[in-house]
């Protein structure tokens, strides 16, 4: 399967319950913090709700008591789950139990919001109760009652963490719009907008509650890890986050691997490895993916999401309930280097046939136990999918929950394009999605990693910081050092002067002020991790402050490697950091000699520019004393991506990724002041570019000339509205952006 062929994987289903049982709540951290105060990471300093219904089922299994006190999420997967009944707990029952478990201390309550209209459009096991056009019911019968309960002042001291609509928005990226893995049901949901508007409504209603923290589902690395999937998926989620009255401020972060099996870390190979000159990315298992595990994917998603306009304090959750892959078959090291496939297959801990396999996987095990702030950028490891709950039935079973039979849950099934036509890898004799599956629970216990009964505590300290260096004034010392490494993740550094702790930082620099002139000071630095492990001290550094009465007159060095990338209306600048005898405090950015902005980072985006226009930029570094460096200069020419007009519409062309021999591009079609019912976009390449696959339209190419017509579902565009299509292409040499022509048929009879 090519790198441009979209991938798809399904997650599962609903919480089912037994009678409540008393359990011991698990505290992820002992640091106290008042729950009523809004925090960046709700899991830090808080206990987490242990669902007594799941706990009772786990404890009833042989060996299950070893994990039955772990926190798991409560699933609201249908309207009836809100009130409960027939011996099951409803949402308010769970919240009341959480208040009791909290006993006045900071406490997290995890709840899955999962009942969109036309739910699970690319699979069948968790199809829901609402039809594709039932958005009004979703709002009034599902989201509104949940929001009313969560907003009850009785629960104001809980930190309520929501997982919002798993699978929905990623499906619009990979399984709709003419992709090789598209389904008719996903095409319907993309066209009617009810996924986007439903998620937007949920985020707006729930985000208005001060103690609710929304985390939106972001698929997993084996679904969205390709360049052609990751950024488009983020763009779709941002569209939802700003729909139906919502804003990005209603998104606390994202969750990956929900109800899935992707390995947290693949320890035996990386995408940068090669075997006999062949990249690991070319192996059958990796299949040109940029990521091989969930931790690297989650961190990359976070970085790209922030760059796309989400808040910089967002965090990532990783569902580790079933991605341990331990047991006797866990590889002890890398595979043989006889071929790239032997190397990857012999060393990978994820032992599925293919990353597209999602249902009740044979050989899977419990993963890392829930933990707050385990790695940089990761808010928590969580168990959102309760271990032991089925992903779907292995044969058709009648039920009143709207859940169908998906062949991917049948162990005899030989697959489909979404898993490269591999065997499903599913366990036999599975019940309906969300129902208790004892055989699966026992499989997870047997293959747990870390193994059940062993300590999951992190006892490994980070390495000692190296390269400690300093610059001094008469009253201050500015320290820098090389970052430490850790088996899980470094969370910060403690700085000591003469053996006394004087401060902490999560960066690799620290300024010590209020010092005496002409005086020698000795400094050491220690790294620390989330578990409280502290490294050995760095080598001691002696620094002597300068004589009094001096002022800083030394300017920083000029920025290096100033470069620019452009669209038709913006220029994004990047440069190498400057240095200074005291410290760089920021950078001034000039366009044509006029100051247009300042930044403390080494990048800046200038927007609102004209297409096909050259702009001259310079960047200067500055320090606290106001000294400015010499300028770094670059000229950037904006792309000519806007169409030349035509009847009824315009079109813009943007290269979203380019890897030298191939590229992905996105085209946005905008209707004029009159609604249109069909459109056509044409262009002529200046080079040898070839369109290799296209989604959300139909394409023909003759030589350098390309014509794209709308698909059946996106030809109609409201006045001043937009639609889009995208494609992958190949080329050699240059990849200049062409000029587009857009023509349309008006929806007004007799006009064009």
């Amino acid at each position: 399967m090519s790198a441009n062929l979209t991938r798809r994987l399904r997650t599962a289903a609903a919480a089912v319950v037994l009678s409540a049982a008393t359990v011991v709540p698990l505290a992820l951290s002992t640091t106290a913090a008042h729950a009523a105060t809004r925090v960046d990471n709700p899991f830090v300093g808080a206990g987490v709700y242990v669902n007594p219904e799941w706990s009772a089922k786990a404890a009833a299994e042989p060996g299950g008591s070893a994990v039955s006190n772990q926190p798991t999420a409560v699933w609201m997967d249908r309207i009836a789950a809100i009130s409960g009944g027939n011996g099951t707990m409803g949402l308010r029952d769970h919240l009341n139990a959480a208040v009791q478990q909290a006993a006045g201390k900071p406490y997290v309550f995890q709840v899955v919001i999962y009942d969109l209209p036309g739910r699970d459009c690319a699979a069948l096991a968790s199809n829901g109760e609402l039809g594709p056009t039932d958005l009004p019911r979703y709002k009034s019968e599902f989201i509104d009652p949940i929001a009313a309960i969560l907003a009850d002042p009785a629960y104001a001291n809980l930190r309520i963490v929501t997982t919002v609509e798993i699978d929905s928005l990623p499906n619009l990226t990979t399984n709709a719009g003419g992709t090789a893995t598209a389904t008719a049901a996903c095409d319907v949901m993309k066209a009617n907008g009810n996924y986007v508007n439903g998620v937007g409504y949920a985020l707006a209603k729930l985000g208005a509650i001060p103690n609710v923290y929304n985390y939106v589902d972001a698929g997993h690395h084996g679904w969205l890890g390709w360049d052609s999937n990751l950024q488009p998926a983020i763009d779709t989620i941002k569209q939802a986050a700003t729909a139906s009255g919502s804003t990005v401020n209603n998104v606390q972060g994202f969750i990956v691997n929900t109800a899935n099996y992707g390995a947290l870390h693949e320890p035996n190979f990386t995408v940068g490895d090669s075997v006999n000159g062949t990249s690991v990315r070319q192996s059958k298992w990796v299949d040109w993916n940029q990521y091989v595990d969930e931790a690297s994917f989650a961190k990359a998603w976070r970085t790209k999401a922030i760059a796309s306009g989400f808040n910089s304090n967002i965090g990532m959750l990783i569902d580790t309930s079933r991605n341990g892959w331990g047991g006797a078959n866990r590889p002890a090291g890398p595979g043989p280097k006889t071929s790239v496939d032997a190397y990857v297959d012999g060393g990978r801990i994820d032992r599925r046939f293919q990353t597209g396999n999602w249902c009740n996987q044979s050989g899977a095990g419990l993963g890392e136990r829930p933990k707050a702030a385990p790695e940089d950028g990761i808010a928590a490891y969580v168990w959102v999918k309760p271990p032991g709950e089925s992903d779907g039935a292995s044969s058709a079973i009648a039920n009143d929950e709207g859940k169908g039979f998906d062949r991917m849950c049948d162990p005899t099934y030989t697959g489909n394009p979404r898993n490269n036509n591999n065997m499903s890898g599913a366990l036999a004799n599975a019940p309906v999605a969300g129902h208790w599956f004892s055989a699966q629970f026992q499989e997870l216990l047997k293959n747990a990693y870390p193994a059940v009964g062993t300590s999951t505590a992190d006892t490994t300290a980070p390495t000692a910081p190296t390269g400690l260096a300093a610059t001094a004034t008469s009253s201050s010392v500015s320290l820098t050092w090389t970052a430490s490494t850790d088996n899980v993740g470094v969370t910060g550094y403690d700085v000591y002067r003469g053996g006394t702790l004087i401060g902490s930082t999560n960066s690799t620099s620290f300024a010590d002020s209020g010092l005496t002139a002409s005086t020698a000071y000795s400094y050491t630095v220690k790294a620390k991790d989330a578990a409280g492990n502290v490294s050995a001290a760095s080598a001691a550094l002696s620094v002597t402050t300068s004589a009094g009465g001096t002022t800083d007159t030394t300017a920083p060095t000029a920025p290096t490697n100033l470069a620019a990338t452009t669209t038709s209306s913006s220029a994004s600048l990047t440069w190498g950091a400057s240095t200074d005898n005291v410290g760089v405090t920021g950078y001034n950015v000039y366009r044509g000699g006029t100051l247009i902005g300042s930044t403390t980072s080494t990048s800046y985006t200038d927007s609102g520019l004209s297409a096909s226009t050259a702009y001259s930029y310079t960047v200067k570094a500055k320090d606290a004393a106001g000294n400015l460096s010499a300028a770094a200069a670059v000229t950037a020419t904006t792309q000519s991506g806007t169409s030349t007009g035509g009847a009824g519409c315009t079109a813009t062309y943007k290269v979203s990724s380019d890897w030298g021999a191939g590229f992905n591009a996105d085209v946005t079609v905008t209707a004029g002041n009159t609604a249109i019912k069909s459109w056509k976009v044409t262009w002529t390449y200046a080079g040898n570019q070839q369109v290799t696959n296209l989604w959300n339209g139909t394409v023909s190419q003759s030589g350098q000339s390309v014509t794209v017509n709308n698909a059946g579902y996106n030809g109609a565009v409201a006045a001043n509205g937009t639609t889009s299509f995208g494609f992958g292409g190949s080329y050699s040499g240059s990849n200049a952006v062409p000029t587009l022509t857009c023509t349309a048929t008006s929806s007004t009879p007799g006009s064009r």
Side-chain angles (χ1 to χ4, degrees):
M1 184 177 287
S2 73
N4 289 319
L5 185 59
T6 50
R7 273 76 175 175
R8 161 78 179 97
L9 186 153
R10 251 297 304 139
T11 54
V16 295
V17 290
L18 292 177
S19 59
T22 301
V23 293
V24 179
L26 173 68
L28 295 179
S29 172
T30 57
T31 304
H34 195 275
T37 302
R38 190 78 182 177
V39 294
D40 283 345
N41 184 350
F43 290 89
V44 170
V48 186
Y49 177 61
V50 179
N51 182 341
E53 297 178 309
W54 174 82
S55 181
K57 291 180 180 180
E61 292 282 341
S65 59
V67 295
S68 61
N69 68 333
Q70 295 294 335
T72 56
V74 172
W75 286 59
M76 294 290 107
D77 72 315
R78 56 193 184 278
I79 294 167
I82 301 172
S83 58
N86 297 321
T88 66
M89 297 171 68
L91 178 58
R92 192 176 290 276
D93 298 322
H94 282 292
L95 287 163
N96 291 337
V99 170
Q100 289 187 323
Q101 288 185 19
K105 298 177 182 178
Y107 220 66
V108 171
F109 177 81
Q110 300 176 95
V111 58
V112 177
I113 308 299
Y114 185 48
D115 199 24
L116 269 180
R119 188 179 76 189
D120 199 15
C121 62
L124 301 171
S126 288
N127 288 161
E129 62 190 347
L130 300 179
T133 60
D134 281 341
L135 183 62
R137 288 190 63 198
Y138 176 75
K139 293 178 178 180
S140 64
E141 298 179 41
F142 186 67
I143 294 300
D144 289 354
I146 290 175
I149 293 172
L150 298 185
D152 190 323
Y155 313 126
N157 285 330
L158 294 174
R159 300 175 183 178
I160 300 172
V161 170
T162 66
T163 292
V164 179
E165 295 297 352
I166 59 175
D167 289 352
S168 59
L169 299 175
N171 267 323
L172 300 185
T173 299
T174 62
N175 299 319
T179 65
T181 51
T183 69
C186 288
D187 284 339
V188 168
M189 299 317 299
K190 186 178 182 74
N192 70 22
N194 284 348
Y195 276 7
V196 167
N197 289 314
V199 170
Y201 185 83
L203 290 173
K205 289 287 289 190
L206 301 174
I209 304 168
N211 58 318
V212 167
Y213 299 79
N214 291 318
Y215 289 81
V216 181
D217 182 73
H220 57 88
H221 87 276
W223 182 1
L224 300 177
W226 289 264
D227 290 336
S228 55
N229 292 351
L230 199 157
Q231 188 61 52
I234 291 174
D235 294 342
T236 299
I237 292 178
K238 186 178 179 184
Q239 182 186 3
T242 54
S244 301
S246 181
T247 72
V248 294
N249 294 328
N250 292 318
V251 178
Q252 184 74 18
F254 303 90
I255 181 168
V256 301
N257 205 46
T258 314
N260 217 281
Y261 299 89
L264 180 62
H265 302 107
E266 280 287 3
N268 297 325
F269 64 92
T270 72
V271 290
D273 294 347
S274 62
V275 177
N276 301 323
T278 302
S279 168
V280 156
R281 292 189 66 204
Q282 294 177 250
S283 68
K284 182 179 179 182
W285 172 258
V286 179
D287 194 17
W288 294 103
N289 202 323
Q290 293 280 20
Y291 310 98
V292 298
D293 55 36
E294 293 305 310
S296 61
F297 172 70
K299 293 173 184 179
W301 179 286
R302 180 178 184 272
T303 299
K304 292 178 181 293
I306 292 171
S308 298
F310 286 94
N311 294 333
S312 61
N313 64 344
I314 58 172
M316 302 296 297
L317 305 178
I318 304 177
D319 188 350
T320 60
S321 61
R322 304 184 302 176
N323 69 347
W325 297 105
N329 294 323
R330 183 182 175 92
K337 287 199 170 183
T338 53
S339 71
V340 71
D341 285 328
Y343 176 67
V344 171
D345 290 339
R348 60 182 170 93
I349 62 169
D350 185 339
R351 296 190 298 279
R352 289 176 291 176
F353 292 114
Q354 208 264 349
T355 55
N357 289 359
W358 55 265
C359 193
N360 300 325
Q361 290 299 286
S362 175
L366 300 171
E368 288 283 349
R369 314 311 182 247
K371 183 179 183 181
E375 304 182 49
D376 290 343
I378 307 301
Y381 301 150
V382 292
W383 282 11
V384 167
K385 175 66 175 179
E389 291 187 1
S390 173
D391 293 328
S394 52
S395 59
I397 298 175
N399 66 88
D400 60 358
E401 300 173 25
K403 296 167 186 173
F405 166 55
D406 195 296
R407 287 295 306 280
M408 285 298 291
C409 299
D410 176 0
T412 68
Y413 185 47
T414 56
N416 55 46
R418 290 190 287 280
N419 80 330
N420 263 358
N421 295 105
N422 282 276
M423 296 294 292
S424 70
L427 294 169
N429 303 314
V432 168
H435 290 223
W436 191 255
F437 188 12
S438 177
Q440 185 213 57
F441 187 83
Q442 291 300 320
E443 184 92 342
L444 296 173
L445 278 178
K446 178 179 69 174
N447 297 311
Y449 189 89
V452 171
T454 62
S455 172
T456 62
D458 175 13
T459 60
T460 302
T463 60
T466 58
L468 184 60
T471 57
T473 68
S474 61
S475 61
S476 67
V477 170
S478 295
L479 301 169
T480 60
W481 56 88
T482 301
S484 298
T485 60
D486 185 63
N487 65 314
V488 176
V490 175
T491 58
Y493 300 88
D494 290 336
V495 181
Y496 298 81
R497 186 200 319 131
T500 300
L501 178 65
I502 58 171
S504 299
T505 177
N506 58 10
S507 69
T508 55
S509 62
F510 184 85
D512 184 21
S513 57
L515 305 179
T516 302
S518 303
T519 303
Y521 295 92
S522 178
Y523 293 92
T524 55
V525 179
K526 297 180 181 179
K528 56 189 178 181
D529 62 21
N533 301 304
V534 178
S535 75
S538 67
L541 177 68
S542 180
V543 185
T544 301
T545 52
S546 59
T550 61
T551 58
D552 178 15
T553 59
T554 302
T557 61
T560 58
N561 301 318
L562 180 60
T565 57
T566 64
T567 68
S568 60
S569 62
S570 68
S572 295
L573 306 174
T574 60
W575 57 88
S578 299
T579 59
D580 186 63
N581 64 315
V582 177
V584 175
T585 58
Y587 300 87
N588 289 343
V589 181
Y590 304 81
R591 187 200 319 129
T594 300
L595 178 66
I596 59 172
S598 297
T599 177
T600 57
S601 68
T602 56
S603 62
Y604 184 87
T605 297
D606 185 23
S607 57
L609 306 179
S610 299
S612 303
T613 303
Y615 294 90
S616 176
Y617 293 94
T618 53
V619 179
K620 298 179 181 180
K622 56 187 177 182
D623 62 20
N627 300 305
L628 289 176
S629 75
V634 69
T635 297
T637 301
T638 51
Q639 300 181 22
S640 56
T642 304
S643 70
T644 57
C649 61
T650 58
T652 57
Y653 181 113
K654 175 184 177 183
V655 175
S656 56
S657 60
D658 190 322
W659 51 93
F663 67 101
N664 289 322
D666 298 309
V667 176
T668 300
V669 176
T670 303
N673 293 328
T674 303
I676 60 177
K677 64 180 180 181
S678 66
W679 49 264
K680 178 174 71 175
V681 179
T682 60
W683 66 88
T684 300
Y685 281 122
N688 62 359
Q689 297 98 322
Q690 290 291 314
V691 176
T692 55
N693 66 306
L694 183 138
W695 49 94
N696 293 352
T698 59
V699 63
S700 62
Q701 182 170 359
S702 176
Q704 296 171 300
S705 299
V706 180
T707 299
V708 178
N709 289 284
N710 60 269
Y713 52 83
N714 66 350
V717 183
N720 301 308
T722 63
T723 188
S724 63
F725 63 88
F727 61 90
S730 63
Y731 75 98
S732 61
S734 62
N735 188 25
V737 173
T739 298
L740 278 59
T741 297
C742 184
T743 56
T745 301
S746 171
S747 61
T748 303
S751 65
R752 181 172 175 81

